[in-house]
Amino acid sequence: MNGTAVSLAGAELSALPSGALWWPAERLLVVADLHLGRSERLARRGGALLPPYDSADTLARLDAEIAAARPAAVVALGDSFDDAEAGAALPEAARLSLARMMAGRHWVWIAGNHDPGPIEIGGTHRAEWRCGPLVFRHIARPGVEGEVSGHFHPKARVGGLARPCFVLDRARIILPAFGTYTGGLAADAPALAALVSPAACALLVGQPPIRLPLAAAGLRRGVRASPGRRGPAGGLG
Amino acid sequence: MTALPRPFAQWFAARGWTLHPHQAAMLDRAQEPALLLVAPTGGGKTLAGFLPTLVELGAQPRPGLHTLYVSPLKALAADIRRNLGTPVAELGLPVRVEDRTGDTPAGQRRRQRADPPQILLTTPESLALMLSYEDAGRTFAGLRRVVVDEIHALAESKRGDQLMLGLARLQRLVPGLRRVGLSATVEDPPALARFLARHPDPCAILHADPGPDPDIAMLEAGPPPWAGGGGRHAIPAILEQIRRHRTTLIFHNTRAQAELFFRDLWLANDDGLPIAIHHGSLAREQRQRVEAAMAAGQLRAVVCTGTLDLGIDWGDVDLVIQVGAPKNVKRLVQRIGRANHRYNAPSKALLVPANRFEVVECAVALEAVRARALDGAPRGPGPRDVLCQHILATAAAGPFDADALHAEVTSAGPYAGLSRPDFDACLDFVATGGYALRAYDRWQRLVRRPDGLWQLRDPRAASGIRMNLGTIVGTETLPVRLRGRGAPLGEVEEDFAATLTPGDSFLIGGEVVRYEGLRELTVEVSRAPGRMPKIAVFGGSKFATSTLLTQRMLDLFAQGAWPGLPQHTADWLALQARVSRLPEPDRLLVESFPHDGREHLCLYGFAGRNGQQTLGLLLTKRLEEAGLNPLGFVASDYATLIWGLDPVTDIAPLLDREGLRAGLEGWLAGNAVMKRTFRAVAIVAGLIDRAAPGLRKTGRQATFSSDILYDTLRRHDPGHLMLAITREEALRGLVDFGRIEEMLDRIGARIDLLRLDRVTPLAAPLMLEPGRVPIHGQGRERLAAEAAARLMAEAGLG
């Protein structure tokens, strides 16, 4: 896999250009914040009628990652579904595509704030999950070691490029959101900066991977809401 | 001729006034279903528009709305209310005159809907809002006349399309409605008449006496710099003019230039003349203070932008100075008209070219004004995003029949040619999103009832629709405040704010401020007098020089000798003719030369700034494909300069029309210009909500960029209506491919590629132009990676 080598609590990992994380020793693929069914939830709640292609788009990209890595296990770090109803209302084609990806491998759904309860879709549902030296959960906690999480949708800007990014320090990795309709939180926003060490880095997704100090990675523009907060939907920047 | 009723005649006589012929003609023909009056600034248009109303109401007093007046500016509505107050009071007319704009308190708006005044003054947006309520029929019952002021300005934007859809709706509510349009001088009055009238009704056109020729000239201020804008070289000469006149308006083309100029003017203002600045980025309170001071005659000069183009008489202006190229003759004429707002007195104006190319442009603009030649491109058909919004607003007012709505919409001039399939596509978009994928029953905003009428699925959606009405989509801006104090200084565009690092200084409201940081969507600054500001790049509207002016410039070059031009500029052109060639009307001059270790290519297309910019984007793409390693380009209204690693030896194949078109389809589609256009279209059409500042601030929304929607649609639904509209709009506006095609038509196969050993006189100014665009290819990625590596190394993290 063509990624950037990252070492965490003794585990040798690879941050992929797609925003997924790959652990070769365990053949484990990790993705965060898929937000499947996002446009459906907005339409259902009387908001905007956004193009209904987000779930298909997200799953197609996930499918490509799985086809390339052929993982033994997949961990989705929470907020995999925009809400429980969106999970239930997932169109048949998306459901089938997901079932195909899940077939023959271990699949862990971590609970997120958007999807706290189990979804009728197979796989294992966990509040958090441990594997070797690493712990996988939705929202990062202060003062832990070897933690892999999502939730914040971090984004960074350098040289005129603004992209989703991994946030890395010695103790943890925070993944960018993998879902198509997901906004971004400036990687140097206080909520994030408070969690990580001052020496933390942002690693921008895409090719070539770009790594820079977190303190220099700010979007310096409207600090977006924490994506975990639930609110009236539909406003787009 | 209709005699003026006795009380009116006496009132006029008492003031020593007589009616102008066009004012009398307006009274004579007051019963026409549609009338367009074309009159110069100061021609008494407003009185001409209202006189028939006052006479009718004087003869037959009655309650209820009689005349609706629509203007592009809230301030104009308020001004007219004050001006009408005098005759209404002195003639003792039983007439209430009220304005209703976005600033009108909610209580008064409710009362106006229930008990409207005889004369209501409003804006296109407020009219659209009133029409979106269930009780619109009652509000407008009995309406006789609608007067559209400054219709030439409204017709230049989507606000005009929205207004005409509104008039079509009004006309269905009150079939006998008569329409009046008041316009400044325009190049094609019949087209404006068709825009105004109910299709296919005729519309009579009345022309007022155009008045005396204006007294205009170029200001003698020594040779301007080679490139750039701003006209700061002319400050001593301009100060002298300010001293010699009562009140001078100094127009600039962009806010940034106005700011830079104002600062330097102030530094040179040794006499302490009262001079102010006025533009759209300043806080409203600050603008209002300037307007009040001007009305009170306390100011000797105001440095301003397009915000003072229209409407109101703020004091006794006796000189207009245009700094920088006029770009457009029509707008120049209107600006000139701001001086001496009195009929039959010549307006006085001075042009200040800010660089050498602009000297030529100013010279031909003067000729054009004297020849009364006006520019302007034909108006395209009514945009469909505005129609989508109109359909939504119609649904907010109540259930509707699609056939009847189609008939109503096609009675509006801009939509007269709208086909039924096009209308149905808009209705489908509003109802279901219009996506190719149809599996989702929740994608329903409108539902069709058993009786065939369409209505909102959820009636509560109406208030959200009303909040999104309007066709003005601004760039997102952030307020600027002094740290620790509440006083707002103005606002800057978000993109500009994103480029600031703490410690940077920039200009706003004529003072230099230091950027301290961003706090809750507010740019916090401190005062930093005496520092050199970082260039103020916010809020620039980039008008392209009109075809009429670029054509006249090419014709002027062809004369071969230029006794009419200042010596410095004539010498410059003569030198160019000697070492290279001058651009010609029916040929394309392309120069290739090495400079500073890079190969340069300069194309003198004279296709306007946007067209030349697009040409730069398309050509560098083709050069990259050809392996010629372009590194960047810069465009002006007249030429595009490209630099790179390898010389270009064969240009014609790069300029073939099909190739350029293909490049446009493929590559520009992913361009930021298209994404920006998409955002505006999606907001107007109701696909996404306007970012409500209040909501953003509470941080309750996880927002994501409209760019993602654009990319998703392109990937999964390339035929979607929003993409079609975006494309149409970008081609007309920012991309301006029409100007490139016009150039290709003009030059045919006559392309001259000249190989020269050094930079030429005409190309040299382009080297100094700001706004250089790096190529968005592998190079940019590499630069970003290098920048990141440097940062890592500096931070000891490498």
Side-chain angles (χ1 to χ4, degrees):
Chain A
M1 294 297 285
N2 183 16
T4 304
V6 178
S7 190
L8 183 66
E12 297 304 320
L13 309 171
S14 173
L16 301 180
S18 63
L21 184 72
W22 175 234
W23 189 357
E26 300 288 332
R27 299 204 64 74
L28 177 70
L29 186 74
V30 190
V31 290
D33 298 274
L34 300 175
H35 285 273
L36 296 171
R38 178 114 219 236
S39 60
E40 190 275 337
R41 180 173 74 107
L42 299 186
R44 168 169 24 100
R45 298 174 89 187
L49 304 181
L50 298 185
Y53 307 108
D54 52 328
S55 299
D57 194 86
T58 303
L59 290 173
R61 286 184 296 108
L62 182 57
D63 201 15
E65 291 302 293
I66 287 176
R70 292 195 278 129
V74 173
V75 180
L77 291 174
D79 286 0
S80 305
F81 301 91
D82 214 43
D83 67 2
E85 212 176 318
L90 213 55
E92 199 50 32
R95 215 166 251 284
L96 286 174
S97 143
L98 201 48
R100 213 171 41 243
M101 284 184 248
M102 294 171 76
R105 52 179 56 97
H106 188 43
W107 196 290
V108 182
W109 299 109
I110 303 284
N113 49 313
H114 276 255
D115 52 358
I119 302 280
E120 291 297 314
I121 211 131
T124 309
H125 295 267
R126 294 287 174 80
E128 57 180 59
W129 186 67
R130 281 178 189 279
C131 181
L134 303 185
V135 59
F136 298 84
R137 60 169 65 99
H138 183 54
I139 305 180
R141 289 184 195 161
V144 293
E145 286 292 321
E147 179 192 73
V148 179
S149 65
H151 179 66
F152 287 103
H153 303 202
K155 229 176 170 176
R157 175 188 290 267
V158 64
L161 295 169
R163 289 193 194 149
C165 65
F166 293 86
V167 173
L168 317 165
D169 69 11
R170 283 180 179 287
R172 63 172 62 74
I173 297 181
I174 298 173
L175 266 66
F178 196 87
T180 297
Y181 290 174
T182 50
L185 178 72
D188 64 347
L192 255 167
L195 276 167
V196 298
S197 85
C201 285
L203 178 68
L204 275 65
V205 304
Q207 277 295 10
I210 294 171
R211 186 198 274 256
L212 71 163
L214 194 65
L219 295 181
R220 291 199 212 103
R221 40 169 64 209
V223 174
R224 301 304 188 200
S226 152
R229 305 273 294 272
R230 282 169 183 249
L236 301 175
Chain B
M1 180 173 153
T2 314
L4 204 53
R6 262 182 72 87
F8 285 84
Q10 284 166 352
W11 188 74
F12 269 77
R15 313 186 140 228
W17 290 1
T18 47
L19 279 190
H20 293 306
H22 63 268
Q23 292 169 331
M26 289 289 281
L27 200 52
D28 271 350
R29 306 183 68 169
Q31 295 307 314
E32 301 254 3
L35 255 180
L36 176 67
L37 173 65
V38 179
T41 319
K45 278 199 292 281
T46 313
L47 182 62
F50 279 107
L51 199 52
T53 297
L54 297 180
V55 168
E56 280 173 34
L57 284 173
Q60 290 175 308
R62 35 161 273 187
L65 196 53
H66 179 283
T67 293
L68 182 72
Y69 164 93
V70 187
S71 96
L73 296 177
K74 285 186 241 180
L76 202 49
D79 196 50
I80 301 268
R81 178 171 49 78
R82 286 189 292 271
N83 291 346
L84 275 180
T86 310
V88 165
E90 293 184 11
L91 284 160
L93 298 174
V95 173
R96 241 164 63 217
V97 183
E98 293 176 10
D99 55 353
R100 185 201 195 284
T101 66
D103 296 341
T104 309
Q108 190 175 340
R109 292 191 205 184
R110 267 197 303 278
R111 188 184 53 65
Q112 283 171 342
R113 269 166 47 212
D115 172 28
Q118 280 85 356
I119 298 178
L120 186 65
L121 315 166
T122 189
T123 60
E125 291 72 28
S126 284
L127 174 61
L129 187 57
M130 281 188 277
L131 286 169
S132 76
Y133 285 99
E134 304 81 344
D135 60 2
R138 206 175 66 225
T139 307
F140 293 105
L143 181 68
R144 302 283 173 86
R145 305 180 73 226
V146 56
V147 178
V148 182
D149 201 358
E150 310 274 13
I151 187 171
H152 61 283
L154 285 168
E156 278 173 10
S157 73
K158 291 181 181 178
R159 302 179 74 197
D161 299 293
Q162 180 175 45
L163 176 59
M164 291 309 139
L165 288 171
L167 294 197
R169 175 118 271 248
L170 274 179
Q171 195 100 47
R172 217 191 54 183
L173 298 174
V174 274
L177 181 68
R178 290 166 278 152
R179 307 178 181 197
V180 170
L182 309 175
S183 171
T185 319
V186 285
E187 77 286 0
D188 188 359
L192 198 55
R194 285 193 299 277
F195 171 78
L196 167 68
R198 173 171 62 181
H199 181 76
D201 289 357
C203 175
I205 302 172
L206 293 171
H207 287 274
D209 179 344
D213 282 333
D215 169 10
I216 51 170
M218 244 188 273
L219 177 67
E220 208 29 78
W226 289 107
R232 274 165 286 164
H233 71 285
I235 281 178
I238 289 175
L239 268 174
E240 182 53 33
Q241 292 296 330
I242 295 173
R243 272 185 221 110
R244 283 197 222 153
H245 292 83
R246 279 191 308 276
T247 309
T248 304
L249 285 186
I250 305 167
F251 281 101
H252 286 262
N253 290 334
T254 69
R255 295 169 195 175
Q257 279 171 3
E259 283 283 0
L260 292 167
F261 181 90
F262 177 67
R263 173 176 171 271
D264 289 6
L265 184 67
W266 192 251
L267 291 175
N269 182 13
D270 298 332
D271 301 352
L273 295 171
I275 299 173
I277 182 164
H278 189 283
H279 64 69
S281 287
L282 296 176
R284 192 164 66 163
E285 300 79 3
Q286 199 167 341
R287 272 180 301 176
Q288 285 169 343
R289 270 203 304 279
V290 172
E291 287 159 19
M294 205 174 148
Q298 292 162 350
L299 295 175
R300 293 293 296 276
V302 179
V303 175
C304 60
T305 63
T307 50
L308 290 189
D309 267 345
L310 286 179
I312 310 160
D313 284 320
W314 280 314
D316 202 359
V317 177
D318 57 347
L319 176 66
V320 162
I321 295 179
Q322 161 73 33
V323 180
K327 307 273 184 201
N328 174 306
V329 179
K330 207 163 43 177
R331 197 177 52 143
L332 177 64
V333 167
Q334 285 155 18
R335 285 188 171 173
I336 292 170
R338 305 293 293 153
N340 225 341
H341 224 159
R342 251 186 349 230
Y343 202 44
N344 285 333
S347 304
K348 189 169 173 193
L350 290 167
L351 305 189
V352 181
N355 62 48
R356 297 298 167 98
F357 268 109
E358 290 187 357
V359 173
V360 183
E361 189 179 321
C362 284
V364 298
L366 289 176
E367 277 174 24
V369 171
R370 289 184 191 124
R372 299 194 182 244
L374 294 175
D375 36 25
R379 202 172 195 283
R384 285 175 288 166
D385 54 345
V386 179
L387 176 59
C388 292
Q389 187 184 102
H390 184 69
I391 294 174
L392 265 179
T394 304
F400 66 89
D401 175 68
D403 293 341
L405 185 60
H406 176 251
E408 179 186 307
V409 163
T410 51
S411 78
Y415 294 90
L418 180 78
S419 74
R420 184 62 196 248
D422 278 352
F423 172 84
D424 287 338
C426 291
L427 176 56
D428 182 42
F429 165 78
V430 170
T432 70
Y435 299 108
L437 185 67
R438 287 273 172 196
Y440 302 94
D441 56 354
R442 279 169 176 139
W443 266 253
Q444 282 199 334
R445 219 163 176 182
L446 304 186
V447 290
R448 203 160 177 201
R449 310 196 304 198
D451 64 0
L453 297 187
W454 291 87
Q455 69 171 32
L456 291 176
R457 184 188 71 168
D458 179 354
R460 287 169 302 181
S463 64
I465 291 169
R466 290 188 189 110
M467 276 171 62
N468 279 304
L469 286 179
T471 59
I472 304 171
V473 179
T475 39
E476 288 182 61
T477 57
L478 300 174
V480 179
R481 279 174 196 279
L482 283 175
R483 172 165 277 188
R485 262 164 294 178
L489 296 173
E491 52 194 28
V492 295
E493 285 173 15
E494 212 175 313
D495 287 341
F496 176 73
T499 67
L500 295 171
T501 8
D504 279 349
S505 53
F506 61 97
L507 273 167
I508 188 159
E511 61 181 316
V512 183
V513 294
R514 181 181 187 278
Y515 175 65
E516 298 291 348
L518 194 66
R519 185 177 165 158
E520 287 188 352
L521 297 178
T522 298
V523 174
E524 287 200 330
V525 298
S526 56
R527 289 209 164 93
R531 288 173 69 108
M532 275 310 291
K534 181 173 176 162
I535 295 294
V537 293
F538 56 93
S541 60
K542 290 236 159 108
F543 289 103
T545 298
S546 72
T547 312
L548 176 101
L549 284 176
T550 53
Q551 190 60 44
R552 279 176 173 256
M553 288 174 77
L554 289 167
D555 292 342
L556 183 77
F557 290 153
Q559 289 171 9
W562 306 280
L565 289 180
Q567 194 60 42
H568 49 73
T569 301
D571 291 348
W572 172 56
L573 296 182
L575 184 63
Q576 168 73 16
R578 209 158 56 239
V579 305
S580 175
R581 273 194 206 189
L582 281 167
E584 295 167 64
D586 59 348
R587 314 184 70 87
L588 177 66
L589 172 65
V590 184
E591 294 174 334
S592 155
F593 52 85
H595 178 75
D596 206 13
R598 299 260 191 261
E599 278 299 329
H600 288 72
L601 190 72
C602 193
L603 297 96
Y604 300 91
F606 283 79
R609 186 179 294 274
N610 295 336
Q612 292 289 150
Q613 179 92 7
T614 298
L615 195 61
L617 292 170
L618 295 177
L619 274 181
T620 47
K621 168 70 173 158
R622 303 200 77 189
L623 290 173
E624 187 151 296
E625 283 164 5
L628 294 172
N629 296 308
L631 292 173
F633 74 91
V634 66
S636 74
D637 279 295
Y638 325 108
T640 302
L641 178 72
I642 300 172
W643 54 93
L645 298 179
D646 302 296
V648 176
T649 50
D650 191 8
I651 185 76
L654 297 172
L655 286 169
D656 95 284
R657 191 178 302 239
E658 286 320 303
L660 289 177
R661 267 202 168 279
L664 193 70
E665 299 294 327
W667 184 70
L668 257 187
N671 188 270
V673 163
M674 296 294 272
K675 291 180 177 172
R676 205 154 66 220
T677 308
F678 173 79
R679 177 175 168 269
V681 165
I683 287 173
V684 170
L687 176 62
I688 57 181
D689 289 344
R690 278 167 200 281
L695 284 178
R696 260 201 338 172
K697 203 165 182 176
T698 61
R700 290 200 37 87
Q701 288 182 319
T703 61
F704 60 95
S705 154
S706 60
D707 294 1
I708 293 172
L709 295 182
Y710 177 75
D711 290 336
T712 305
L713 276 177
R714 277 185 63 216
R715 251 197 320 274
H716 297 276
D717 206 341
H720 193 261
L721 180 67
M722 288 299 107
L723 295 182
I725 300 175
T726 300
R727 210 177 150 282
E728 253 172 43
E729 186 134 314
L731 286 187
R732 269 207 299 239
L734 290 169
V735 174
D736 217 0
F737 196 66
R739 286 290 285 276
I740 296 177
E741 299 215 295
E742 212 170 73
M743 176 199 79
L744 294 174
D745 290 343
R746 173 160 58 79
I747 63 171
R750 295 171 296 277
I751 302 173
D752 306 308
L753 176 62
L754 265 59
R755 178 64 186 175
L756 300 148
D757 59 2
R758 73 185 66 173
V759 58
T760 64
L762 238 50
L766 277 159
M767 300 270 183
L768 308 168
E769 272 287 316
R772 296 178 154 230
V773 181
I775 298 312
H776 298 231
Q778 286 304 310
R780 188 175 169 186
E781 298 275 352
R782 204 175 67 210
L783 290 176
E786 286 165 9
R790 268 199 312 278
L791 284 166
M792 292 296 286
E794 277 172 31
L797 298 164

